[in-house]
Amino acid sequence: MYIGFDFGTANCSVAKMAGDTPSLIPLENADFYIPSTLAAPTRDSVSEHLFRHRHIQPADAVGERLLRRSIALNREEDIDIEFDDVLFGQAALDLYLRDPQEVYYVKSPKSFLGAMGLHEMQLSFFEDLVCAMMANIKTQVEKASQQSVEDVVIGRPINFQGRGGEDSNRQAQNILHSAAKRVGFRHIEFQFEPVAAGLEYEATLDQDKTVLVVDIGGGTTDCSLIKMGPSWRNNARREGSLIAHSGQRVGGNDLDIHLTFKQLMTPFGYKSQTLKGLEMPTTQFWNPIAINDVSAQRDFYARENLVDLKRLHKDAQQPEKLARLLAVHQDTLGYHLVKSGEELKIALSDERHAEAKMKVMAEMLSVNVSRDEMIDAIEAPKSKMINLVLEAVKLGGVKPDAIFMTGGSARSPILRSAVEQALPGIPVVSGNYFGSVTAGLARWAKICFA
């Protein structure tokens, strides 16, 4: 059996072909989309879980060292890893929200895969995270379909990272490939996510067109200018139809982070002052919510930073606000805050005003935000997305006949309006915002493996 596998930043999904039609496979209860999240008792639980309960061997000598260290640390802490101790998807998120200080939680490991300058143990650990999530999904797919799965097409962005170029892309794709091999996929292909989405849109066309596919996902914005239609459908050699690509690590997560930073960090001391009248350092409010930045997260949650936070609390004009920031550090609440920002963004897509609620310690914080304030807060990432749209058209040198928008964040009327203003007079269409990439990957898998 072959599948298309969208290992997404926000969600993962899988599809198989039922005749000529892609069919999504349920991955968590009856849901077709599983959040890209993992929760475990400790960071060191993941590698041992893979080895002890999923019977997945380390990839190399570095992985073996990581496993030995993880087992030793778990024994020191008297932690005996059971199969159900490592959770995925909504179950992982629910556990984190119930008890954030007692769980190791990670969201969107795909965001980290292209980060440069990581040492070999970090890379090995990221591979184990991906491997654990893939193993869970493969198990669910085989359970639902009652078939073993060996052949897979995995989606990938045009660029995994803003920096690092092709070295970054190779590193990230190698991690995905190695993890897929370890969980039991034998034949593995990759396809650009916007190209896959284009294949799904192409299936609806009765004449050839030049289409700009704009895929705004949780972690990246990717654009592909593609010739498509009946002349190209089911063609294994698509090189001549691919006119231009652009892509960068800026997506829905960045909208959530910027909105959280600009509108929700004031109760934690953002823009407040010390007793000497100096403004609090901005990085202390950005780093905890920069959940897609490895170095920012490391810096904020480091033990050394706790000393700095306590000093700022002592020197603050409004110490009660810095006490909340200390709680963010101690209870690992960064993901919790960004989740509030995401919910606020969704509410403000339909309403002129909305209220964000955040529980910190025993306190429930409420912040009222207007849609205009949200639009101002997300201006920087929104501008990057629109520049990528324009870049693809400029590189291709061809005006598209249509713009096909897909990806979860493409549902935003603010982003859709921005695309329409950037490329006026070109019809903007959409399909299944969440499923177009997955369906297109399944179509490509049929071409590759059937």
Side-chain angles (χ1 to χ4, degrees):
M1 177 178 163
Y2 56 83
I3 59 171
F5 188 168
D6 183 9
F7 188 80
T9 304
N11 298 285
C12 296
S13 55
V14 169
K16 64 178 181 178
M17 293 299 292
D20 293 327
T21 304
S23 175
L24 291 169
I25 299 172
L27 299 179
E28 187 174 31
N29 301 319
D31 293 330
F32 296 124
Y33 307 98
I34 181 170
S36 302
T37 58
L38 176 150
T42 65
R43 187 180 189 273
D44 298 294
S45 303
V46 179
S47 300
E48 184 174 356
H49 168 83
L50 279 175
F51 178 75
R52 190 174 303 281
H53 296 294
R54 301 232 177 226
H55 310 295
I56 294 174
Q57 299 291 327
D60 51 27
V62 177
E64 290 174 359
R65 293 205 310 271
L66 175 64
L67 175 61
R68 288 195 299 270
R69 190 189 72 172
S70 297
I71 292 174
L73 290 172
N74 287 332
R75 296 297 83 78
E76 285 180 15
E77 298 293 327
D78 198 27
I79 297 173
D80 188 18
I81 306 300
E82 300 292 340
F83 181 84
D84 291 335
D85 286 343
V86 178
L87 300 178
F88 304 91
Q90 189 62 44
L93 176 59
D94 291 344
L95 177 62
Y96 166 73
L97 293 176
R98 283 198 306 271
D99 205 1
Q101 65 269 33
E102 294 298 327
V103 66
Y104 171 76
Y105 176 79
V106 63
K107 177 184 178 182
S108 310
K110 184 179 177 182
S111 298
F112 307 150
L113 303 186
M116 303 306 292
L118 302 175
H119 58 70
E120 58 183 10
M121 291 286 272
Q122 284 178 303
L123 292 172
S124 185
F125 176 67
F126 288 160
E127 183 179 310
D128 277 359
L129 283 176
V130 173
C131 196
M133 294 171 69
M134 281 188 173
N136 173 64
I137 289 170
K138 186 172 186 288
T139 298
Q140 300 306 316
V141 168
E142 293 179 338
K143 180 179 178 181
S145 61
Q146 294 295 297
Q147 296 182 67
S148 64
V149 182
E150 294 187 341
D151 304 331
V152 63
V153 173
I154 301 173
R156 57 150 288 184
I158 302 298
N159 292 302
F160 283 87
Q161 200 81 6
R163 300 179 296 276
E166 282 309 304
D167 288 341
S168 174
N169 290 333
R170 276 191 294 272
Q171 173 180 288
Q173 185 165 308
N174 286 342
I175 291 173
L176 290 172
H177 188 275
S178 179
K181 277 286 187 185
R182 290 172 65 195
V183 303
F185 292 115
R186 292 183 59 194
H187 306 111
I188 303 160
E189 299 289 340
F190 288 89
Q191 180 58 274
F192 287 138
E193 288 159 0
V195 174
L199 295 176
E200 180 63 5
Y201 178 57
E202 182 180 64
T204 69
L205 298 179
D206 56 12
Q207 62 182 9
D208 288 352
K209 291 184 177 182
T210 298
V211 178
L212 177 64
V213 180
V214 179
D215 177 17
I216 308 177
T220 60
T221 294
D222 298 287
C223 305
S224 289
L225 192 61
I226 310 173
K227 296 177 184 178
M228 62 174 68
S231 299
W232 295 96
R233 195 173 296 144
N234 300 320
N235 192 336
R237 302 299 300 270
R238 295 295 304 231
E239 294 88 347
S241 73
L242 306 179
I243 304 171
H245 306 289
S246 64
Q248 190 177 341
R249 198 195 72 176
V250 57
N253 282 353
D254 297 274
L255 302 178
D256 303 337
I257 290 166
H258 278 75
L259 179 57
T260 303
F261 178 65
K262 290 287 187 70
Q263 294 298 326
L264 303 186
M265 294 308 289
T266 301
F268 300 88
Y270 177 50
K271 289 192 174 180
S272 66
Q273 295 182 337
T274 68
L275 293 172
K276 294 181 179 180
L278 301 175
E279 192 166 291
M280 292 290 174
T282 301
T283 54
Q284 293 288 13
F285 307 95
W286 174 261
N287 285 353
I289 60 171
I291 58 174
N292 54 6
D293 186 329
V294 177
S295 60
Q297 292 284 282
R298 181 187 62 227
D299 290 348
F300 181 77
Y301 289 110
R303 289 184 179 181
E304 297 82 0
N305 194 47
L306 181 58
V307 176
D308 292 338
L309 291 173
K310 288 180 177 178
R311 177 180 52 80
L312 291 174
H313 175 246
K314 183 179 179 180
D315 294 342
Q317 288 187 14
Q318 297 172 290
E320 71 281 0
K321 291 186 175 183
L322 272 295
R324 296 178 187 133
L325 189 62
L326 272 167
V328 172
H329 181 284
Q330 293 167 345
D331 295 342
T332 322
L333 295 179
Y335 288 107
H336 180 75
L337 299 183
V338 176
K339 179 68 175 174
S340 297
E342 179 188 14
E343 293 169 350
L344 182 63
K345 177 191 70 177
I346 293 170
L348 288 171
S349 294
D350 299 320
E351 305 293 336
R352 299 298 304 179
H353 294 84
E355 182 182 42
K357 293 188 176 182
M358 302 167 287
K359 186 176 181 181
V360 182
M361 298 180 287
E363 185 180 17
M364 182 63 75
L365 301 174
S366 296
V367 180
N368 290 301
V369 180
S370 70
R371 182 184 295 175
D372 288 342
E373 288 172 326
M374 178 188 74
I375 292 172
D376 178 69
I378 66 172
E379 177 59 32
K382 186 192 78 172
S383 294
K384 289 182 180 179
M385 294 172 182
I386 300 306
N387 287 339
L388 290 168
V389 172
L390 296 173
E391 180 185 347
V393 176
K394 182 179 180 180
L395 288 172
V398 178
K399 182 180 178 181
D401 300 309
I403 301 168
F404 178 64
M405 291 189 68
T406 190
S409 297
R411 295 175 300 164
S412 166
I414 295 168
L415 297 182
R416 187 184 183 100
S417 176
V419 170
E420 290 172 337
Q421 291 176 27
L423 295 172
I426 303 174
V428 178
V429 296
S430 57
N432 183 333
Y433 287 111
F434 289 102
S436 293
V437 170
T438 318
L441 291 171
R443 291 183 184 278
W444 192 247
K446 183 178 181 180
I447 293 171
C448 292
F449 302 123

